[in-house]
Amino acid sequence: AQSVAQPEDQVNVAEGNPLTVKCTYSVSGNPYLFWYVQYPNRGLQFLLKYITGDNLVKGSYGFEAEFNKSQTSFHLKKPSALVSDSALYFCAVRAASISSGSARQLTFGSGTQLTVLP
Amino acid sequence: DSGVTQTPKHLITATGQRVTLRCSPRSGDLSVYWYQQSLDQGLQFLIQYYNGEERAKGNILERFSAQQFPDLHSELNLSSLELGDSALYFCASSAKITGQGKYEQYFGPGTRLTVT
């Protein structure tokens, strides 16, 4: 079974400071990893993904994430936070292998509420 | 705008009733996924269809069913509704096997179901 842990329910950061939202995962074989953002009363928006290759992936709105296989982590980062980044962030995983039906689905973490303070 | 549409936006109904939620995937996407988001359960995968066929099943109750039609739109049917079924229901779609963007899922705005 695959799982995602987002250990922090809430992250507060001052505008202009760097931010990190943590994510660790468990999956059989190689992972495909994703970050999504959800604004109030909206659907989830795709931010970035790790499929293969460079461990540092860049995504929308200046966000990036670092894949660390040994630590089974995929932390989301941004060098300088904006008030408009305040939202709910979800990490998700699926197995790279699609040999089984359940492997195609995304498993999401519980979400981290990011608040950027002006 | 993700290109995935869902109707209705809001639905209020009584316990024991049956409702149908509708989803139209992005143009060209063959896979449709249904998710339920609630405060206590978080975001949970329900079911996936690919080109009209069921491909994967998650934590979907027997009272719930779905289908994908030849035009690729999908419907999620929820019956014998209970108070605990109140949640936000999302549909997502993903691209065909080849090409860019083939792994991530694009989410619709959701249908907020309130069971009273």
Side-chain angles (χ1 to χ4, degrees):
Chain A
Q2 53 199 39
S3 64
V4 174
Q6 291 182 243
E8 299 156 320
D9 291 337
Q10 175 85 38
V11 169
N12 296 328
V13 63
E15 188 174 30
N17 282 2
L19 69 87
T20 299
V21 182
K22 295 179 181 176
C23 169
T24 58
Y25 67 90
S26 174
V27 71
S28 296
N30 293 320
Y32 291 161
L33 294 155
F34 307 84
W35 275 101
Y36 286 83
V37 59
Q38 184 178 27
Y39 295 97
N41 301 313
R42 302 280 295 274
L44 277 73
Q45 294 179 35
F46 168 73
L47 275 181
L48 52 78
K49 66 185 175 189
Y50 170 82
I51 303 300
T52 187
D54 197 350
N55 289 344
L56 185 65
V57 294
K58 295 185 183 297
S60 307
Y61 313 119
F63 284 94
E64 57 190 29
E66 186 163 14
F67 170 62
N68 187 317
K69 189 170 184 177
S70 62
Q71 296 185 2
T72 60
S73 67
F74 189 57
H75 301 330
L76 181 70
K77 301 182 180 186
K78 188 173 183 181
S80 178
L82 300 173
V83 172
S84 57
D85 293 330
S86 298
L88 188 57
Y89 289 80
F90 289 95
C91 180
V93 69
R94 61 157 277 195
S97 165
I98 57 171
S99 58
S100 66
S102 63
R104 294 180 179 86
Q105 71 189 69
L106 288 182
T107 297
F108 285 85
S110 55
T112 298
Q113 180 66 48
L114 173 68
T115 301
V116 181
L117 305 166
Chain B
D1 183 4
S2 67
V4 178
T5 60
Q6 289 187 249
T7 56
K9 272 189 147 177
H10 302 276
L11 202 48
I12 301 174
T13 189
T15 54
Q17 295 298 305
R18 172 189 167 96
V19 297
T20 297
L21 313 183
R22 183 188 168 104
C23 167
S24 292
R26 294 188 316 160
S27 177
D29 284 359
L30 300 180
S31 276
V32 168
Y33 309 77
W34 285 98
Y35 292 87
Q36 179 194 59
Q37 185 179 33
S38 61
L39 282 175
D40 53 347
Q41 298 286 338
L43 194 59
Q44 292 215 313
F45 168 73
L46 295 178
I47 196 164
Q48 178 204 356
Y49 277 82
Y50 178 80
N51 203 19
E53 293 190 4
E54 182 184 305
R55 182 61 72 90
K57 232 172 182 176
N59 299 320
I60 188 166
L61 300 171
E62 286 192 13
R63 299 184 285 109
F64 296 0
S65 64
Q67 58 186 131
Q68 186 179 27
F69 295 86
D71 66 353
L72 300 178
H73 91 271
S74 178
E75 292 181 356
L76 180 67
N77 300 297
L78 315 176
S79 61
S80 303
L81 285 167
E82 302 175 359
L83 295 177
D85 297 328
S86 296
L88 199 49
Y89 290 85
F90 287 111
C91 165
S93 72
S94 64
K96 292 183 284 190
I97 301 297
T98 57
Q100 283 206 349
K102 65 179 178 178
Y103 299 107
E104 60 268 31
Q105 295 175 19
Y106 291 88
F107 282 73
T111 294
R112 183 169 294 281
L113 173 66
T114 302
V115 183
T116 61

mmCIF file of all heavy atoms in Angstrom, chain A residues 54-98:
data_model
loop_
_atom_site.group_PDB
_atom_site.id
_atom_site.type_symbol
_atom_site.label_atom_id
_atom_site.label_comp_id
_atom_site.label_asym_id
_atom_site.label_seq_id
_atom_site.Cartn_x
_atom_site.Cartn_y
_atom_site.Cartn_z
ATOM 1 N N ASP A 54 16.387 14.692 -12.664
ATOM 2 C CA ASP A 54 16.915 15.636 -11.688
ATOM 3 C C ASP A 54 16.081 15.648 -10.419
ATOM 4 O O ASP A 54 14.845 15.729 -10.476
ATOM 5 C CB ASP A 54 16.926 17.037 -12.302
ATOM 6 C CG ASP A 54 17.818 18.003 -11.531
ATOM 7 O OD1 ASP A 54 18.275 17.644 -10.421
ATOM 8 O OD2 ASP A 54 18.037 19.115 -12.027
ATOM 9 N N ASN A 55 16.759 15.550 -9.280
ATOM 10 C CA ASN A 55 16.043 15.487 -8.001
ATOM 11 C C ASN A 55 15.362 16.799 -7.637
ATOM 12 O O ASN A 55 14.449 16.817 -6.813
ATOM 13 C CB ASN A 55 17.000 15.082 -6.877
ATOM 14 C CG ASN A 55 17.408 13.627 -6.981
ATOM 15 O OD1 ASN A 55 16.785 12.845 -7.685
ATOM 16 N ND2 ASN A 55 18.459 13.270 -6.284
ATOM 17 N N LEU A 56 15.810 17.908 -8.205
ATOM 18 C CA LEU A 56 15.187 19.200 -7.932
ATOM 19 C C LEU A 56 14.261 19.543 -9.099
ATOM 20 O O LEU A 56 14.715 19.689 -10.230
ATOM 21 C CB LEU A 56 16.242 20.282 -7.746
ATOM 22 C CG LEU A 56 15.715 21.663 -7.347
ATOM 23 C CD1 LEU A 56 15.080 21.607 -5.961
ATOM 24 C CD2 LEU A 56 16.845 22.690 -7.378
ATOM 25 N N VAL A 57 12.986 19.633 -8.799
ATOM 26 C CA VAL A 57 12.030 19.942 -9.854
ATOM 27 C C VAL A 57 11.422 21.310 -9.605
ATOM 28 O O VAL A 57 11.177 21.692 -8.463
ATOM 29 C CB VAL A 57 10.916 18.877 -9.957
ATOM 30 C CG1 VAL A 57 11.494 17.565 -10.404
ATOM 31 C CG2 VAL A 57 10.190 18.710 -8.646
ATOM 32 N N LYS A 58 11.206 22.029 -10.678
ATOM 33 C CA LYS A 58 10.630 23.364 -10.579
ATOM 34 C C LYS A 58 9.205 23.337 -11.105
ATOM 35 O O LYS A 58 8.885 22.607 -12.052
ATOM 36 C CB LYS A 58 11.483 24.365 -11.349
ATOM 37 C CG LYS A 58 12.878 24.535 -10.753
ATOM 38 C CD LYS A 58 13.667 25.621 -11.443
ATOM 39 C CE LYS A 58 15.074 25.724 -10.887
ATOM 40 N NZ LYS A 58 15.100 26.099 -9.460
ATOM 41 N N GLY A 59 8.352 24.144 -10.473
ATOM 42 C CA GLY A 59 6.963 24.140 -10.875
ATOM 43 C C GLY A 59 6.413 25.538 -11.017
ATOM 44 O O GLY A 59 7.142 26.498 -11.236
ATOM 45 N N SER A 60 5.097 25.615 -10.862
ATOM 46 C CA SER A 60 4.395 26.885 -11.048
ATOM 47 C C SER A 60 4.641 27.827 -9.881
ATOM 48 O O SER A 60 4.929 27.396 -8.768
ATOM 49 C CB SER A 60 2.894 26.621 -11.184
ATOM 50 O OG SER A 60 2.624 25.665 -12.170
ATOM 51 N N TYR A 61 4.508 29.142 -10.154
ATOM 52 C CA TYR A 61 4.505 30.197 -9.142
ATOM 53 C C TYR A 61 5.786 30.241 -8.313
ATOM 54 O O TYR A 61 5.770 30.664 -7.169
ATOM 55 C CB TYR A 61 3.292 30.058 -8.208
ATOM 56 C CG TYR A 61 1.991 29.828 -8.929
ATOM 57 C CD1 TYR A 61 1.252 28.667 -8.721
ATOM 58 C CD2 TYR A 61 1.495 30.756 -9.843
ATOM 59 C CE1 TYR A 61 0.060 28.442 -9.399
ATOM 60 C CE2 TYR A 61 0.309 30.543 -10.516
ATOM 61 C CZ TYR A 61 -0.400 29.385 -10.284
ATOM 62 O OH TYR A 61 -1.579 29.165 -10.955
ATOM 63 N N GLY A 62 6.906 29.782 -8.880
ATOM 64 C CA GLY A 62 8.191 29.854 -8.193
ATOM 65 C C GLY A 62 8.447 28.737 -7.200
ATOM 66 O O GLY A 62 9.446 28.753 -6.489
ATOM 67 N N PHE A 63 7.547 27.769 -7.138
ATOM 68 C CA PHE A 63 7.744 26.634 -6.233
ATOM 69 C C PHE A 63 8.694 25.610 -6.839
ATOM 70 O O PHE A 63 8.786 25.458 -8.058
ATOM 71 C CB PHE A 63 6.404 25.955 -5.918
ATOM 72 C CG PHE A 63 5.563 26.704 -4.936
ATOM 73 C CD1 PHE A 63 4.592 27.598 -5.376
ATOM 74 C CD2 PHE A 63 5.735 26.531 -3.580
ATOM 75 C CE1 PHE A 63 3.814 28.307 -4.475
ATOM 76 C CE2 PHE A 63 4.956 27.222 -2.666
ATOM 77 C CZ PHE A 63 4.001 28.116 -3.115
ATOM 78 N N GLU A 64 9.381 24.914 -5.956
ATOM 79 C CA GLU A 64 10.245 23.811 -6.351
ATOM 80 C C GLU A 64 10.159 22.743 -5.269
ATOM 81 O O GLU A 64 9.682 22.995 -4.152
ATOM 82 C CB GLU A 64 11.686 24.274 -6.548
ATOM 83 C CG GLU A 64 12.304 24.942 -5.342
ATOM 84 C CD GLU A 64 13.639 25.592 -5.673
ATOM 85 O OE1 GLU A 64 13.858 26.028 -6.827
ATOM 86 O OE2 GLU A 64 14.464 25.678 -4.747
ATOM 87 N N ALA A 65 10.601 21.542 -5.628
ATOM 88 C CA ALA A 65 10.586 20.451 -4.657
ATOM 89 C C ALA A 65 11.800 19.580 -4.889
ATOM 90 O O ALA A 65 12.268 19.425 -6.017
ATOM 91 C CB ALA A 65 9.309 19.623 -4.782
ATOM 92 N N GLU A 66 12.287 19.024 -3.783
ATOM 93 C CA GLU A 66 13.471 18.186 -3.861
ATOM 94 C C GLU A 66 13.136 16.752 -3.507
ATOM 95 O O GLU A 66 12.620 16.471 -2.411
ATOM 96 C CB GLU A 66 14.558 18.704 -2.924
ATOM 97 C CG GLU A 66 15.881 17.958 -3.077
ATOM 98 C CD GLU A 66 17.047 18.704 -2.484
ATOM 99 O OE1 GLU A 66 16.838 19.669 -1.733
ATOM 100 O OE2 GLU A 66 18.194 18.313 -2.774
ATOM 101 N N PHE A 67 13.420 15.861 -4.423
ATOM 102 C CA PHE A 67 13.205 14.435 -4.211
ATOM 103 C C PHE A 67 14.436 13.850 -3.546
ATOM 104 O O PHE A 67 15.559 14.028 -4.011
ATOM 105 C CB PHE A 67 12.945 13.742 -5.547
ATOM 106 C CG PHE A 67 12.943 12.236 -5.486
ATOM 107 C CD1 PHE A 67 12.006 11.577 -4.718
ATOM 108 C CD2 PHE A 67 13.875 11.498 -6.197
ATOM 109 C CE1 PHE A 67 11.984 10.182 -4.660
ATOM 110 C CE2 PHE A 67 13.866 10.116 -6.149
ATOM 111 C CZ PHE A 67 12.923 9.449 -5.381
ATOM 112 N N ASN A 68 14.235 13.154 -2.430
ATOM 113 C CA ASN A 68 15.329 12.499 -1.730
ATOM 114 C C ASN A 68 14.945 11.048 -1.522
ATOM 115 O O ASN A 68 14.118 10.719 -0.666
ATOM 116 C CB ASN A 68 15.589 13.186 -0.378
ATOM 117 C CG ASN A 68 16.831 12.654 0.311
ATOM 118 O OD1 ASN A 68 17.057 11.456 0.341
ATOM 119 N ND2 ASN A 68 17.637 13.541 0.854
ATOM 120 N N LYS A 69 15.551 10.184 -2.322
ATOM 121 C CA LYS A 69 15.154 8.780 -2.302
ATOM 122 C C LYS A 69 15.508 8.095 -0.988
ATOM 123 O O LYS A 69 14.733 7.306 -0.456
ATOM 124 C CB LYS A 69 15.799 8.031 -3.475
ATOM 125 C CG LYS A 69 15.265 6.624 -3.662
ATOM 126 C CD LYS A 69 15.744 6.009 -4.948
ATOM 127 C CE LYS A 69 15.103 4.629 -5.144
ATOM 128 N NZ LYS A 69 15.481 4.019 -6.433
ATOM 129 N N SER A 70 16.683 8.410 -0.461
ATOM 130 C CA SER A 70 17.126 7.735 0.764
ATOM 131 C C SER A 70 16.248 8.114 1.955
ATOM 132 O O SER A 70 16.025 7.298 2.852
ATOM 133 C CB SER A 70 18.586 8.066 1.055
ATOM 134 O OG SER A 70 18.745 9.453 1.282
ATOM 135 N N GLN A 71 15.748 9.342 1.958
ATOM 136 C CA GLN A 71 14.878 9.781 3.044
ATOM 137 C C GLN A 71 13.396 9.668 2.675
ATOM 138 O O GLN A 71 12.539 10.028 3.488
ATOM 139 C CB GLN A 71 15.214 11.230 3.429
ATOM 140 C CG GLN A 71 16.622 11.390 3.979
ATOM 141 C CD GLN A 71 16.909 12.796 4.477
ATOM 142 O OE1 GLN A 71 16.049 13.667 4.448
ATOM 143 N NE2 GLN A 71 18.127 13.023 4.942
ATOM 144 N N THR A 72 13.109 9.150 1.529
ATOM 145 C CA THR A 72 11.732 9.040 0.995
ATOM 146 C C THR A 72 10.952 10.325 1.256
ATOM 147 O O THR A 72 9.847 10.323 1.813
ATOM 148 C CB THR A 72 10.964 7.826 1.570
ATOM 149 O OG1 THR A 72 10.874 7.946 3.001
ATOM 150 C CG2 THR A 72 11.660 6.533 1.207
ATOM 151 N N SER A 73 11.574 11.435 0.831
ATOM 152 C CA SER A 73 10.935 12.728 1.058
ATOM 153 C C SER A 73 10.806 13.504 -0.236
ATOM 154 O O SER A 73 11.531 13.264 -1.211
ATOM 155 C CB SER A 73 11.724 13.546 2.076
ATOM 156 O OG SER A 73 12.983 13.907 1.551
ATOM 157 N N PHE A 74 9.880 14.449 -0.222
ATOM 158 C CA PHE A 74 9.628 15.293 -1.395
ATOM 159 C C PHE A 74 9.110 16.624 -0.858
ATOM 160 O O PHE A 74 7.938 16.953 -0.978
ATOM 161 C CB PHE A 74 8.629 14.623 -2.326
ATOM 162 C CG PHE A 74 8.457 15.300 -3.664
ATOM 163 C CD1 PHE A 74 9.536 15.506 -4.509
ATOM 164 C CD2 PHE A 74 7.198 15.689 -4.100
ATOM 165 C CE1 PHE A 74 9.382 16.112 -5.740
ATOM 166 C CE2 PHE A 74 7.027 16.292 -5.346
ATOM 167 C CZ PHE A 74 8.119 16.502 -6.159
ATOM 168 N N HIS A 75 9.996 17.398 -0.270
ATOM 169 C CA HIS A 75 9.604 18.646 0.375
ATOM 170 C C HIS A 75 9.410 19.763 -0.645
ATOM 171 O O HIS A 75 10.205 19.929 -1.574
ATOM 172 C CB HIS A 75 10.652 19.080 1.402
ATOM 173 C CG HIS A 75 10.903 18.077 2.485
ATOM 174 N ND1 HIS A 75 9.925 17.206 2.941
ATOM 175 C CD2 HIS A 75 12.021 17.800 3.208
ATOM 176 C CE1 HIS A 75 10.415 16.435 3.893
ATOM 177 N NE2 HIS A 75 11.689 16.771 4.073
ATOM 178 N N LEU A 76 8.383 20.539 -0.416
ATOM 179 C CA LEU A 76 8.058 21.688 -1.278
ATOM 180 C C LEU A 76 8.752 22.927 -0.723
ATOM 181 O O LEU A 76 8.729 23.158 0.496
ATOM 182 C CB LEU A 76 6.547 21.897 -1.304
ATOM 183 C CG LEU A 76 6.015 23.038 -2.172
ATOM 184 C CD1 LEU A 76 6.194 22.701 -3.648
ATOM 185 C CD2 LEU A 76 4.551 23.303 -1.859
ATOM 186 N N LYS A 77 9.330 23.730 -1.625
ATOM 187 C CA LYS A 77 10.075 24.899 -1.176
ATOM 188 C C LYS A 77 9.800 26.101 -2.082
ATOM 189 O O LYS A 77 9.411 25.939 -3.240
ATOM 190 C CB LYS A 77 11.583 24.602 -1.176
ATOM 191 C CG LYS A 77 11.969 23.447 -0.283
ATOM 192 C CD LYS A 77 13.470 23.209 -0.273
ATOM 193 C CE LYS A 77 13.799 22.043 0.632
ATOM 194 N NZ LYS A 77 15.237 21.837 0.799
ATOM 195 N N LYS A 78 10.016 27.274 -1.478
ATOM 196 C CA LYS A 78 9.973 28.505 -2.258
ATOM 197 C C LYS A 78 10.928 29.485 -1.597
ATOM 198 O O LYS A 78 10.891 29.644 -0.381
ATOM 199 C CB LYS A 78 8.554 29.072 -2.311
ATOM 200 C CG LYS A 78 8.409 30.254 -3.257
ATOM 201 C CD LYS A 78 6.967 30.685 -3.410
ATOM 202 C CE LYS A 78 6.880 31.821 -4.412
ATOM 203 N NZ LYS A 78 5.495 32.315 -4.595
ATOM 204 N N PRO A 79 11.788 30.124 -2.362
ATOM 205 C CA PRO A 79 12.812 30.984 -1.755
ATOM 206 C C PRO A 79 12.246 32.209 -1.036
ATOM 207 O O PRO A 79 12.801 32.640 -0.036
ATOM 208 C CB PRO A 79 13.661 31.410 -2.966
ATOM 209 C CG PRO A 79 13.372 30.408 -4.025
ATOM 210 C CD PRO A 79 11.955 29.977 -3.807
ATOM 211 N N SER A 80 11.143 32.750 -1.550
ATOM 212 C CA SER A 80 10.600 33.968 -0.966
ATOM 213 C C SER A 80 9.067 33.891 -1.000
ATOM 214 O O SER A 80 8.463 33.963 -2.067
ATOM 215 C CB SER A 80 11.098 35.188 -1.754
ATOM 216 O OG SER A 80 10.542 36.382 -1.238
ATOM 217 N N ALA A 81 8.467 33.752 0.161
ATOM 218 C CA ALA A 81 7.016 33.530 0.238
ATOM 219 C C ALA A 81 6.231 34.815 -0.006
ATOM 220 O O ALA A 81 6.671 35.920 0.364
ATOM 221 C CB ALA A 81 6.652 32.962 1.604
ATOM 222 N N LEU A 82 5.056 34.649 -0.606
ATOM 223 C CA LEU A 82 4.123 35.749 -0.833
ATOM 224 C C LEU A 82 2.852 35.501 -0.027
ATOM 225 O O LEU A 82 2.475 34.339 0.191
ATOM 226 C CB LEU A 82 3.754 35.838 -2.314
ATOM 227 C CG LEU A 82 4.891 36.087 -3.301
ATOM 228 C CD1 LEU A 82 4.371 35.965 -4.731
ATOM 229 C CD2 LEU A 82 5.507 37.459 -3.062
ATOM 230 N N VAL A 83 2.186 36.583 0.359
ATOM 231 C CA VAL A 83 0.908 36.427 1.076
ATOM 232 C C VAL A 83 -0.075 35.597 0.237
ATOM 233 O O VAL A 83 -0.825 34.780 0.770
ATOM 234 C CB VAL A 83 0.312 37.799 1.426
ATOM 235 C CG1 VAL A 83 -1.093 37.664 1.986
ATOM 236 C CG2 VAL A 83 1.215 38.534 2.414
ATOM 237 N N SER A 84 -0.013 35.769 -1.070
ATOM 238 C CA SER A 84 -0.925 35.048 -1.961
ATOM 239 C C SER A 84 -0.622 33.550 -2.030
ATOM 240 O O SER A 84 -1.398 32.796 -2.617
ATOM 241 C CB SER A 84 -0.873 35.647 -3.369
ATOM 242 O OG SER A 84 0.450 35.626 -3.862
ATOM 243 N N ASP A 85 0.494 33.112 -1.462
ATOM 244 C CA ASP A 85 0.787 31.669 -1.406
ATOM 245 C C ASP A 85 -0.006 30.972 -0.304
ATOM 246 O O ASP A 85 -0.007 29.746 -0.215
ATOM 247 C CB ASP A 85 2.288 31.434 -1.141
ATOM 248 C CG ASP A 85 3.164 31.876 -2.297
ATOM 249 O OD1 ASP A 85 2.685 31.823 -3.455
ATOM 250 O OD2 ASP A 85 4.325 32.264 -2.044
ATOM 251 N N SER A 86 -0.665 31.724 0.548
ATOM 252 C CA SER A 86 -1.446 31.142 1.645
ATOM 253 C C SER A 86 -2.543 30.261 1.072
ATOM 254 O O SER A 86 -3.400 30.724 0.304
ATOM 255 C CB SER A 86 -2.058 32.249 2.511
ATOM 256 O OG SER A 86 -1.060 33.046 3.101
ATOM 257 N N ALA A 87 -2.511 28.984 1.427
ATOM 258 C CA ALA A 87 -3.448 28.005 0.868
ATOM 259 C C ALA A 87 -3.177 26.664 1.536
ATOM 260 O O ALA A 87 -2.295 26.534 2.381
ATOM 261 C CB ALA A 87 -3.284 27.884 -0.641
ATOM 262 N N LEU A 88 -3.942 25.658 1.105
ATOM 263 C CA LEU A 88 -3.768 24.284 1.594
ATOM 264 C C LEU A 88 -2.961 23.512 0.552
ATOM 265 O O LEU A 88 -3.298 23.516 -0.633
ATOM 266 C CB LEU A 88 -5.154 23.652 1.795
ATOM 267 C CG LEU A 88 -5.262 22.298 2.471
ATOM 268 C CD1 LEU A 88 -4.626 22.311 3.844
ATOM 269 C CD2 LEU A 88 -6.737 21.915 2.578
ATOM 270 N N TYR A 89 -1.896 22.882 0.994
ATOM 271 C CA TYR A 89 -0.992 22.187 0.087
ATOM 272 C C TYR A 89 -1.045 20.685 0.330
ATOM 273 O O TYR A 89 -0.975 20.228 1.476
ATOM 274 C CB TYR A 89 0.442 22.694 0.256
ATOM 275 C CG TYR A 89 0.606 24.090 -0.277
ATOM 276 C CD1 TYR A 89 0.212 25.186 0.476
ATOM 277 C CD2 TYR A 89 1.113 24.311 -1.556
ATOM 278 C CE1 TYR A 89 0.320 26.475 -0.019
ATOM 279 C CE2 TYR A 89 1.230 25.598 -2.061
ATOM 280 C CZ TYR A 89 0.830 26.672 -1.292
ATOM 281 O OH TYR A 89 0.930 27.939 -1.794
ATOM 282 N N PHE A 90 -1.148 19.937 -0.760
ATOM 283 C CA PHE A 90 -1.225 18.481 -0.686
ATOM 284 C C PHE A 90 -0.078 17.855 -1.463
ATOM 285 O O PHE A 90 0.193 18.230 -2.607
ATOM 286 C CB PHE A 90 -2.531 17.967 -1.301
ATOM 287 C CG PHE A 90 -3.754 18.272 -0.498
ATOM 288 C CD1 PHE A 90 -4.524 19.396 -0.772
ATOM 289 C CD2 PHE A 90 -4.157 17.422 0.528
ATOM 290 C CE1 PHE A 90 -5.665 19.677 -0.038
ATOM 291 C CE2 PHE A 90 -5.297 17.697 1.269
ATOM 292 C CZ PHE A 90 -6.042 18.827 0.987
ATOM 293 N N CYS A 91 0.538 16.876 -0.837
ATOM 294 C CA CYS A 91 1.523 16.028 -1.489
ATOM 295 C C CYS A 91 0.829 14.730 -1.888
ATOM 296 O O CYS A 91 -0.079 14.259 -1.172
ATOM 297 C CB CYS A 91 2.657 15.741 -0.508
ATOM 298 S SG CYS A 91 3.990 14.715 -1.113
ATOM 299 N N ALA A 92 1.208 14.151 -3.027
ATOM 300 C CA ALA A 92 0.573 12.917 -3.472
ATOM 301 C C ALA A 92 1.607 11.999 -4.099
ATOM 302 O O ALA A 92 2.622 12.456 -4.637
ATOM 303 C CB ALA A 92 -0.545 13.213 -4.473
ATOM 304 N N VAL A 93 1.334 10.719 -4.042
ATOM 305 C CA VAL A 93 2.253 9.715 -4.590
ATOM 306 C C VAL A 93 1.475 8.657 -5.358
ATOM 307 O O VAL A 93 0.308 8.382 -5.067
ATOM 308 C CB VAL A 93 3.069 9.039 -3.461
ATOM 309 C CG1 VAL A 93 2.175 8.154 -2.583
ATOM 310 C CG2 VAL A 93 4.228 8.222 -4.018
ATOM 311 N N ARG A 94 2.110 8.110 -6.354
ATOM 312 C CA ARG A 94 1.638 6.875 -6.979
ATOM 313 C C ARG A 94 2.856 6.072 -7.375
ATOM 314 O O ARG A 94 3.935 6.621 -7.565
ATOM 315 C CB ARG A 94 0.718 7.108 -8.178
ATOM 316 C CG ARG A 94 1.326 7.863 -9.308
ATOM 317 C CD ARG A 94 0.635 7.603 -10.619
ATOM 318 N NE ARG A 94 1.128 6.373 -11.247
ATOM 319 C CZ ARG A 94 0.921 6.049 -12.500
ATOM 320 N NH1 ARG A 94 0.203 6.830 -13.273
ATOM 321 N NH2 ARG A 94 1.389 4.923 -13.006
ATOM 322 N N ALA A 95 2.672 4.786 -7.494
ATOM 323 C CA ALA A 95 3.771 3.928 -7.889
ATOM 324 C C ALA A 95 4.044 4.105 -9.381
ATOM 325 O O ALA A 95 3.116 4.287 -10.173
ATOM 326 C CB ALA A 95 3.450 2.477 -7.580
ATOM 327 N N ALA A 96 5.300 4.038 -9.761
ATOM 328 C CA ALA A 96 5.659 4.152 -11.169
ATOM 329 C C ALA A 96 5.150 2.957 -11.958
ATOM 330 O O ALA A 96 4.727 3.073 -13.097
ATOM 331 C CB ALA A 96 7.177 4.274 -11.312
ATOM 332 N N SER A 97 5.157 1.787 -11.312
ATOM 333 C CA SER A 97 4.687 0.583 -11.979
ATOM 334 C C SER A 97 3.171 0.588 -12.015
ATOM 335 O O SER A 97 2.518 0.890 -11.014
ATOM 336 C CB SER A 97 5.168 -0.658 -11.222
ATOM 337 O OG SER A 97 4.461 -1.801 -11.644
ATOM 338 N N ILE A 98 2.588 0.245 -13.156
ATOM 339 C CA ILE A 98 1.130 0.210 -13.254
ATOM 340 C C ILE A 98 0.641 -1.198 -13.476
ATOM 341 O O ILE A 98 -0.337 -1.442 -14.134
ATOM 342 C CB ILE A 98 0.610 1.133 -14.387
ATOM 343 C CG1 ILE A 98 1.247 0.743 -15.722
ATOM 344 C CG2 ILE A 98 0.867 2.573 -14.046
ATOM 345 C CD1 ILE A 98 0.625 1.463 -16.900
#
